Amino acid sequence: MSYPPPPGQDPNNPYAQQQPPQQPYGYPQQQPQQGGQPAYGYPQQQYGQPQYGQQPQGGVPGQPAYGYPQQPGTVQANNGYININNIGMAQLATMGQRFLARLIDGLIISTVLTVVMIAGLGSAIGLGNDLEECGTYATPGYSQCVQDAQEASMGALGAMMVMMLCLAVFLALYEWLMIAFKGATVGKMAMGLRVVKEADGQLPGAGGGFVRYIIPIAGAVACYIGALLVFLSPFFDNSGKLQGWHDRAAGTVVIKK
């Protein structure tokens, strides 16, 4: 009694052994495993390690990926650049540049103040000469001469007060309004610096310019020591933005144009 050949065997060749089915060409061959481990030469995938050609997932915690844009207000480490909206990456002004700009402004203000003082001194000298020309009590018309000199001195004093008022207005307009609407005084212009809002890169405006101006003025009441501390306060800024106390109050930073 004969039995039919098993499936896949040539009926005309009963002695041929059954061959396993072949996989299509180019299809990755399955490798036998021994003891649960892939065979030698089979690509292994370890936990937490990306395969060749794959991009690693995640990154260093707290560090942006390479080429990823930084958030506005972020200071790049050790290179003095800050990312500001509507401006992009801008270079922060160094304390040396800011000192030179303040020095130039100081020279301009001192020149104007010197002119005012010379005018007041000239009025005082003229008053002294008028009194000497009046002579003594025995000189005829002495009383009238002294009265005229006093009236002249009152006029000179009034003119001096007007000049001091003009000087105060000049200082306010120079520091406050130029920063507010130009972003720079003459000294900052000469050094290529500009004061902008940290949030959007715009000019400080009247409000921001006034806050930035009035804080050093308030500090100057205490023998100018407070104002000096305000101007030196950028050295104490740990954020790397070199913001003084007046900059923080006004929300501004000083950058290179």
Side-chain angles (χ1 to χ4, degrees):
M1 181 177 181
S2 61
Y3 295 91
Q9 181 176 342
D10 187 2
N12 298 325
N13 187 8
Y15 299 99
Q17 296 181 355
Q18 181 179 1
Q19 300 294 329
Q22 300 293 327
Q23 296 181 355
Y25 178 77
Y27 190 80
Q29 301 292 326
Q30 295 182 354
Q31 301 295 334
Q33 298 183 358
Q34 298 178 359
Q37 300 293 332
Y40 177 77
Y42 190 76
Q44 301 183 8
Q45 181 175 2
Q46 299 180 2
Y47 179 76
Q49 298 291 336
Q51 296 185 5
Y52 179 77
Q54 292 183 341
Q55 296 294 331
Q57 301 296 327
V60 180
Q63 297 292 336
Y66 178 76
Y68 190 79
Q70 295 185 346
Q71 295 298 322
T74 303
V75 178
Q76 289 189 356
N78 301 324
N79 65 0
Y81 281 82
I82 183 173
N83 188 24
I84 302 177
N85 280 332
N86 302 320
I87 293 180
M89 297 306 298
Q91 183 180 3
L92 291 166
T94 65
M95 289 302 296
Q97 293 167 341
R98 295 174 68 168
F99 172 77
L100 291 176
R102 183 66 61 180
L103 183 61
I104 295 173
D105 292 333
L107 291 175
I108 295 174
I109 294 173
S110 297
T111 301
V112 177
L113 183 59
T114 300
V115 172
V116 173
M117 292 180 64
I118 291 176
L121 181 60
S123 299
I125 294 175
L127 175 61
N129 293 332
D130 292 340
L131 290 176
E132 289 180 358
E133 292 177 357
C134 291
T136 63
Y137 290 103
T139 303
Y142 174 78
S143 298
Q144 184 63 39
C145 180
V146 170
Q147 184 178 355
D148 294 341
Q150 289 177 348
E151 292 177 356
S153 66
M154 292 299 295
L157 180 60
M160 188 71 178
M161 294 298 295
V162 171
M163 295 181 68
M164 294 298 295
L165 179 61
C166 292
L167 178 62
V169 172
F170 166 76
L171 293 178
L173 295 178
Y174 182 80
E175 184 74 22
W176 169 23
L177 296 183
M178 289 195 71
I179 291 293
F181 300 111
K182 294 290 292 183
T185 58
V186 175
K188 286 181 172 59
M189 291 179 185
M191 295 303 300
L193 307 182
R194 183 172 53 169
V195 180
V196 297
K197 290 183 179 179
E198 181 185 1
D200 53 16
Q202 301 299 318
L203 295 176
F210 179 77
V211 171
R212 198 176 186 277
Y213 162 75
I214 201 62
I215 291 180
I217 295 299
V221 175
C223 300
Y224 210 77
I225 296 177
L228 182 62
L229 290 176
V230 171
F231 293 139
L232 293 178
S233 59
F235 284 113
F236 314 140
D237 184 14
N238 296 326
S239 67
K241 302 175 186 178
L242 294 177
Q243 285 181 305
W245 298 336
H246 53 321
D247 286 314
R248 291 189 180 185
T252 58
V253 290
V254 185
I255 62 174
K256 288 281 292 181
K257 289 184 179 180

